[in-house]
Amino acid sequence: MVIISKTTFLSFLHCPKNVWLKIHRPEIGEKFHLSEFEKHILEQGNEVEAYARNLFPGAVHVVATGDDALQETVRFMASKAPTIFQATFLVDGFLAKNDMLSYDKVNDCWDLYEVKGTNSLKEDGGESRDHIDDLAFQVSVLRRANIKLGRYFVIHLNKEYVRSGGLDINALLVKDDVTDKVGARLPEVEAQMALAQEYLSQENEPVGGCECVYKSRKKHCSTFQYIHPHVPEYSVHDLSRIHKTKLELLVERSIFNLNDIPEDFELSDKQKNQVYAHRLQKPIISTGEIKKQLGSLAYPLYFFDYEAFGPAIPVFNGYGPYKRIPFQFSLHILRKPDGDLEHVEFLHNNLSDPSEEVARLLEQHIKPGGTVIAWYKSFEAGVNKEIGLRLPSHTALFDRINGMLYDLMEIFSDQHYIHHGFKGSASLKKVLPTLAPELSYESLGVRDGGQAADAWWKMVSPATTPREKAQISKDLKIYCGLDTYAMYAIWHCLQEEVGNPVSKRIPYPPLLKR
Ligand code: SF4
């Protein structure tokens, strides 16, 4: 019988087919590696759980694994331990490990706690999945084990919390009593548990079951290609903001290649342009609009990019959960069209709040009157706003910089420049290799913002050796420096494309090479 843990069950709710493949086709296991993002979320959940344990003095911890964990749990429960961490139960093929199981002496029963590294009961504080299924699964398993249960709680972060001095665990964490919600959800979850057992126990690969064929590319997992080998790597799933109903119409007619979309098929203007550029295999450029936009940018041009790390548990005073630590920036400055390209970079190299230093450097280098060019400017604007709120004496500076922001990405996301090589995306990582193929992130030690945040956290850890720190520092500087140089290179390429007078592109500085 397949053993179904809580994680397996929740993954089953997300996608049965994917879980079946993980269990029964481990030989294609390399396709199932966790993304950096998934790992990060997992680690942050663990970090919050470690802090939440401080709310339960006198607790005992099930540290054994396998059958021994079941025995250890029985012993702790028999001794009426005040709280048990990782109490483990295996009944009817379902495995539950509880974050906290607390004994209620008055009512002679056990209260169940689930810790989440989120800012609310919801996964992201919005419309997405809540955490009730997680608890309902555990309640079902514990009831099968004849455990007398009391109340059920989700412990999550308090998004209003702002650290001031030592960490105040009672203010940082919120306990929500969700007993009634779990009770109401339980019948539905138990029906799904039965379905999961039946589906995942099948010996032969279930036919079909990959609903992502009707969803856009960003919803696909890494097994999509294995399940749908006939779908090209660049397909109708990559059409910009394609709606499910339109995608269904295409898929039902087995139309996957952009070249096969009938002329009379209804698409948005953006989608039509994307298809047209693909068929043409040539860029489509709105010269007038690009010329107008670039012509309106006041010099100096400040090509600017932050790297930031938003830990679940605030590390410094003035920070709340997930507020971003601006540990690095890169700034390339072009003071006039035929000027030199200056480079200013900042990388904070110890575990302290860099906000004051960032403010001092930006005050020094970004003077009023020019244009701050970013790629997806809402990120830079958001980090600026957070620093401005933390440092009232610098609020005006960060408001001023936000007022100078121009988003170079919008040339591409608004389709003033369309290229079949972008494959419907306006991300820097897609645009750069098409417009400046000699510049690439491929061989870098750090290749995206998530990796940069992880690398910085490791760099400032006391456990990291000086040699490792030096390598990480170098990797981070190369990565962030390339981000702003890439913006300059793309800006330069656009200037040439639209026939604006521009001096020769200043080459990629050797300093930035690894
Ligand atoms: S592509 Fe989507 S539906 Fe298909 S297996 Fe992956 S997650 Fe499931």
Side-chain angles (χ1 to χ4, degrees):
M1 184 195 281
V2 170
I3 303 289
I4 299 177
S5 67
K6 185 189 73 178
T7 309
T8 305
F9 174 66
L10 295 174
S11 304
F12 171 84
L13 293 184
H14 178 67
C15 176
K17 179 86 175 190
N18 180 279
V19 183
W20 189 94
L21 287 169
K22 273 183 187 163
I23 293 171
H24 296 276
R25 297 292 308 273
E27 71 276 12
I28 49 172
E30 76 276 5
K31 293 180 190 292
F32 298 114
H33 284 159
L34 288 178
S35 68
E36 290 300 318
F37 176 76
E38 286 167 321
K39 280 190 226 162
H40 190 59
I41 290 295
L42 216 60
E43 281 159 14
Q44 293 214 316
N46 293 342
E47 191 192 359
V48 177
E49 187 181 338
Y51 276 92
R53 286 180 179 165
N54 293 317
L55 296 171
F56 299 88
V60 292
H61 194 161
V62 174
V63 287
T65 54
D67 285 350
D68 293 345
L70 306 175
Q71 302 309 324
E72 204 173 358
T73 301
V74 170
R75 279 200 303 279
F76 284 149
M77 291 189 79
S79 70
K80 300 276 194 299
T83 299
I84 306 170
F85 299 149
Q86 298 296 301
T88 307
F89 303 88
L90 175 62
V91 197
D92 299 340
F94 295 108
L95 176 72
K97 266 182 183 291
N98 314 139
D99 289 343
M100 288 102 190
L101 193 61
S102 255
Y103 182 58
D104 174 350
K105 260 191 210 159
V106 178
N107 298 304
D108 186 29
C109 61
W110 295 85
D111 292 336
L112 186 57
Y113 293 83
E114 173 78 5
V115 181
K116 292 293 171 194
T118 51
N119 272 336
S120 78
L121 261 183
K122 297 268 188 178
E123 195 89 317
D124 60 4
E127 292 302 307
S128 62
R129 195 179 75 78
D130 58 26
H131 302 302
I132 305 303
D133 290 344
D134 310 34
L135 271 162
F137 175 89
Q138 295 175 68
V139 167
S140 174
V141 177
L142 268 66
R143 280 189 179 176
R144 290 164 200 247
N146 296 318
I147 307 299
K148 191 179 168 206
L149 289 169
R151 305 204 69 77
Y152 322 131
F153 300 88
V154 170
I155 298 179
H156 61 83
L157 294 158
N158 169 14
K159 68 172 187 274
E160 307 301 335
Y161 176 75
V162 177
R163 182 167 181 161
S164 173
L167 207 55
D168 180 349
I169 290 292
N170 289 298
L172 170 69
L173 297 170
V174 177
K175 272 188 223 171
D176 271 333
D177 186 332
V178 292
T179 310
D180 295 343
K181 286 181 181 166
V182 171
R185 186 79 61 86
L186 198 56
E188 187 190 330
V189 166
E190 292 201 313
Q192 287 163 326
M193 287 166 72
L195 270 179
Q197 207 154 46
E198 194 184 326
Y199 185 95
L200 297 176
S201 300
Q202 295 175 86
E203 290 295 325
N204 297 321
E205 183 173 335
V207 178
C210 179
E211 292 303 309
C212 279
V213 78
Y214 301 111
K215 295 178 188 167
S216 62
R217 181 74 66 187
K218 63 177 184 300
K219 303 248 170 63
H220 299 182
C221 79
S222 51
T223 56
F224 184 84
Q225 214 56 47
Y226 160 79
I227 303 167
H228 305 284
H230 54 291
V231 176
E233 239 175 75
Y234 182 42
S235 68
V236 292
H237 302 91
D238 297 287
L239 283 170
S240 169
R241 296 175 183 271
I242 183 80
H243 193 270
K244 199 168 181 268
T245 47
K246 271 190 202 169
L247 203 46
E248 274 171 6
L249 287 173
L250 291 167
V251 171
E252 291 306 334
R253 292 161 70 181
S254 296
I255 295 169
F256 298 111
N257 194 316
L258 265 56
N259 288 330
D260 299 334
I261 299 174
E263 290 297 335
D264 59 353
F265 190 82
E266 200 189 328
L267 293 172
S268 70
D269 287 348
K270 279 195 174 177
Q271 291 160 354
K272 277 184 199 155
N273 290 338
Q274 189 183 340
V275 172
Y276 185 56
H278 179 69
R279 287 182 182 158
L280 211 58
Q281 290 289 297
K282 273 188 193 161
I284 304 168
I285 304 168
S286 307
T287 307
E289 180 59 33
I290 297 175
K291 215 174 170 122
K292 191 172 103 195
Q293 287 204 22
L294 297 187
S296 71
L297 305 181
Y299 283 82
L301 302 182
Y302 299 102
F303 298 92
F304 181 64
D305 180 63
Y306 273 126
E307 299 304 327
F309 176 57
I313 307 291
V315 187
F316 309 123
N317 285 343
Y319 284 77
Y322 295 109
K323 292 298 178 214
R324 292 164 287 195
I325 303 167
F327 64 83
Q328 182 177 19
F329 71 74
S330 172
L331 176 65
H332 275 97
I333 307 171
L334 191 66
R335 298 198 182 274
K336 51 186 181 169
D338 58 351
D340 280 341
L341 189 64
E342 300 166 31
H343 189 213
V344 178
E345 63 182 351
F346 165 74
L347 175 62
H348 197 58
N349 62 7
N350 62 70
L351 189 55
S352 61
D353 184 5
S355 304
E356 283 284 359
E357 184 63 358
V358 168
R360 188 186 68 74
L361 288 168
L362 295 185
E363 179 93 69
Q364 181 185 339
H365 292 287
I366 300 185
K367 300 293 182 195
T371 308
V372 177
I373 299 178
W375 197 277
Y376 185 59
K377 70 178 181 185
S378 54
F379 180 78
E380 272 64 34
V383 174
N384 281 337
K385 195 167 174 214
E386 286 176 21
I387 307 175
L389 284 171
R390 271 195 305 276
L391 306 177
S393 59
H394 296 292
T395 307
L397 165 70
F398 288 99
D399 284 348
R400 171 170 72 75
I401 293 174
N402 277 352
M404 295 164 69
L405 274 172
Y406 168 80
D407 197 339
L408 189 59
M409 185 184 79
E410 286 174 8
I411 295 263
F412 303 93
S413 58
D414 291 345
Q415 291 196 325
H416 302 310
Y417 195 119
I418 312 167
H419 195 294
H420 51 283
F422 302 159
K423 300 193 170 168
S425 165
S427 86
L428 186 57
K429 309 289 185 289
K430 274 273 165 35
V431 172
L432 182 68
T434 306
L435 296 192
E438 73 284 8
L439 298 174
S440 167
Y441 290 85
E442 282 308 307
S443 62
L444 302 190
V446 169
R447 288 189 293 278
D448 62 43
Q451 285 182 6
D454 288 347
W456 179 73
W457 193 240
K458 186 174 177 194
M459 185 181 85
V460 295
S461 156
T464 304
T465 65
R467 200 180 158 153
E468 279 178 301
K469 283 177 195 267
Q471 184 59 54
I472 294 172
S473 167
K474 195 173 170 191
D475 287 343
L476 283 169
K477 285 179 181 171
I478 293 170
Y479 168 69
C480 194
L482 180 56
D483 267 353
T484 50
Y485 182 82
M487 282 190 266
Y488 160 73
I490 290 168
W491 167 86
H492 192 277
C493 173
L494 291 173
Q495 293 278 41
E496 285 184 333
E497 284 282 3
V498 300
N500 277 349
V502 63
S503 55
K504 205 163 170 292
R505 191 174 103 194
I506 295 151
Y508 189 50
L511 176 71
L512 290 177
K513 289 195 175 138
R514 203 176 184 207

